Each structure stands twice: as C-alpha cells, then as structure tokens.
Amino acid sequence: MKLIFLGPPGAGKGTLAVRVKELLNAPHISTGAIFREAIAAKTSLGLKVKAIIDSGKLVDDETTIALVKERLAQADAQKGYILDGFPRTIAQAEALATFSPVDTVVNFDIPDPGVIERLSGRRVCRKCGFNWHTVFNPTKQEHVCDTCGGEVYIRDDDKPEAIGKRLEVYREQTAPLIAFYRAKGLLVDIDASPLVDEILISFKKAVGLQGL
Ligand code: AMP
C-alpha cells in the first residue's frame, strides 16, 4: 500500500508511521529525517538545507523531488511505503503522481493548539530518530533515549521562533493539498488529537485494515 501521511508539523505523522510500518512491512520515508541525517553527516545536501530547515521554511521543490524520486526507486519501496512529510507543495504532489502514484492520502486533522503542545514538548533521539514527548511519552532518564541510549535533544525547528513559521508555511503551501487529493478521491481524514493508540484504530478503520 502506497500511503501519504499529510498534516501539520507535530500532528503525530512520524509517531503513527513507526507503528504502521511494522503492520504493513513497508518503509517509513520521512523527508525531514533524511534532511536531518544529511545535516548530521555534513554532506553537501546537509550543508545546503541546514539554515532553511532551522528557520522553518521549506527546502526547494527541485531538491526535494529529486531526493524522493531516488528513494522511491529503491527495492524496499516497490510494493508500498509511508511517505511522511512529502509532498508539501502542489508541485511536489504533481511530480510524485508522475513517478509513483499513491493509493491513499491520510489527512491528520488537529487544531493549532494541539500542534503547539506537541511540538514544544517533542524531543528526538539523535541516534535512532525516535520521537519522545516531555508529557505524553517521556524518557525514563532526561536526555537519554530509552530504546537505544542515544542523546535526546530539541530540534532547532521545534524552538518557539520556528514553530509559528512552520505553521504559517503549512497553511499557505501544504494545506491546499487536502483539497487537491480530496478532489482525486484519495483522501481519508483521521482525528489526530488523541494519543497514538487511538489514532492507530482510526487509521485502520479509515484504510480498511481492521483485521491487522
Ligand atoms: P519534518 O521532519 O517533516 O517536520 O521536516 C522538517 C523540515 O524539513 C521542514 O520544516 C522543511 O524545512 C524540511 N522538509 C521536510 N520535508 C519537506 C518537503 N517535502 N519539502 C520541503 N521541505 C521539506
């Protein structure tokens, strides 16, 4: 099953994707995570995108589309995948349709206050990328990942000055994708406000996977 997880930053797309990828045995492809890995490794891509990402703006379409096209050409993505954080513009969605049309787009519906609460408490493991939360899912020991022992940190773009910018960018550039995919009959909506176990139930219902 080829899936897009669409929704504002902090809607819980990455957290749900970790659960769904095990159910579907499909790769979780997060463009944000690929960019963060490139930044950590100081590759030419990482150096090019670091300032843009830290400010909360979007990386240009050409760079992002090329990256996703290459990733989706790999063997593990042929039967299905979960795209998290891509597409984020109409141009990206149109490009994706030419090289890998998707089956379903899951729209994570959550009001702004919920997003701000999630982003401001989010903590990410530098080593395994797992998303923790100071209130909803705290690590046992501060700054240390329970799963892999890696350092748990606050993403620069989760700092208050970048959160507002990211929500504005989402509204202007990404939210139009909701109407775009609805018109194509591909969109399903899920209420993303509850905790992940409940969202998983809504997700299974929405995509017809109750048996799993
Ligand atoms: P995320 O982890 O999905 O919140 O992404 C973190 C940041 O990476 C975003 O705020 C953007 O700067 C950049 N990014 C991720 N995905 C895309 C995309 N599809 N198009 C442009 N920029 C992106």
Side-chain angles (χ1 to χ4, degrees):
M1 190 182 267
K2 296 181 175 177
L3 293 171
I4 290 172
F5 280 6
L6 177 66
K13 304 185 294 294
T15 305
L16 186 71
V18 169
R19 305 281 289 270
V20 170
K21 76 171 185 184
E22 280 162 18
L23 284 181
L24 299 181
N25 194 21
H28 166 207
I29 300 172
S30 155
T31 39
I34 296 172
F35 287 137
R36 282 187 290 283
E37 277 162 26
I39 291 170
K42 298 194 165 68
T43 63
S44 57
L45 173 69
L47 296 174
K48 177 169 148 186
V49 301
K50 182 173 180 351
I52 302 169
I53 290 181
D54 287 352
S55 73
K57 293 187 195 146
L58 293 186
V59 175
D60 67 278
D61 284 336
E62 202 188 339
T63 304
T64 311
I65 291 166
L67 183 89
V68 172
K69 192 170 179 183
E70 196 186 316
R71 179 63 187 87
L72 294 187
Q74 289 175 20
D76 67 337
Q78 298 318 302
K79 288 208 188 109
Y81 49 74
I82 304 154
L83 268 181
D84 163 12
F86 182 93
R88 260 176 156 99
T89 63
I90 298 280
Q92 291 179 10
E94 285 172 342
L96 179 66
T98 67
F99 58 80
S100 188
V102 297
D103 303 309
T104 303
V105 179
V106 182
N107 179 38
F108 285 60
D109 194 15
I110 181 165
D112 279 2
V115 161
I116 291 165
E117 191 181 24
R118 291 203 184 158
L119 290 178
S120 47
R122 178 158 69 183
R123 301 290 183 269
V124 184
C125 175
R126 223 181 264 289
K127 203 163 148 203
C128 72
F130 192 83
N131 283 344
W132 298 96
H133 192 282
T134 50
V135 179
F136 305 128
N137 191 20
T139 52
K140 290 198 184 86
Q141 203 184 327
E142 220 184 331
H143 311 306
V144 181
C145 179
D146 290 8
T147 317
C148 75
E151 183 206 355
V152 169
Y153 75 111
I154 306 177
R155 283 169 45 172
D156 279 335
D157 60 349
D158 281 347
K159 293 183 177 155
E161 51 284 13
I163 289 179
K165 181 69 195 166
R166 289 166 75 206
L167 287 177
E168 184 191 316
V169 166
Y170 173 76
R171 266 191 294 272
E172 283 173 9
Q173 301 196 55
T174 308
L177 290 174
I178 297 173
F180 176 90
Y181 283 121
R182 206 183 295 285
K184 295 190 185 308
L186 293 174
L187 199 84
V188 295
D189 296 287
I190 56 172
D191 176 7
S193 291
L195 292 175
V196 64
D197 286 342
E198 213 174 304
I199 303 175
L200 183 61
I201 295 170
S202 311
F203 165 80
K204 286 186 194 170
K205 256 191 221 149
V207 301
L209 289 174
Q210 285 99 324
L212 282 185

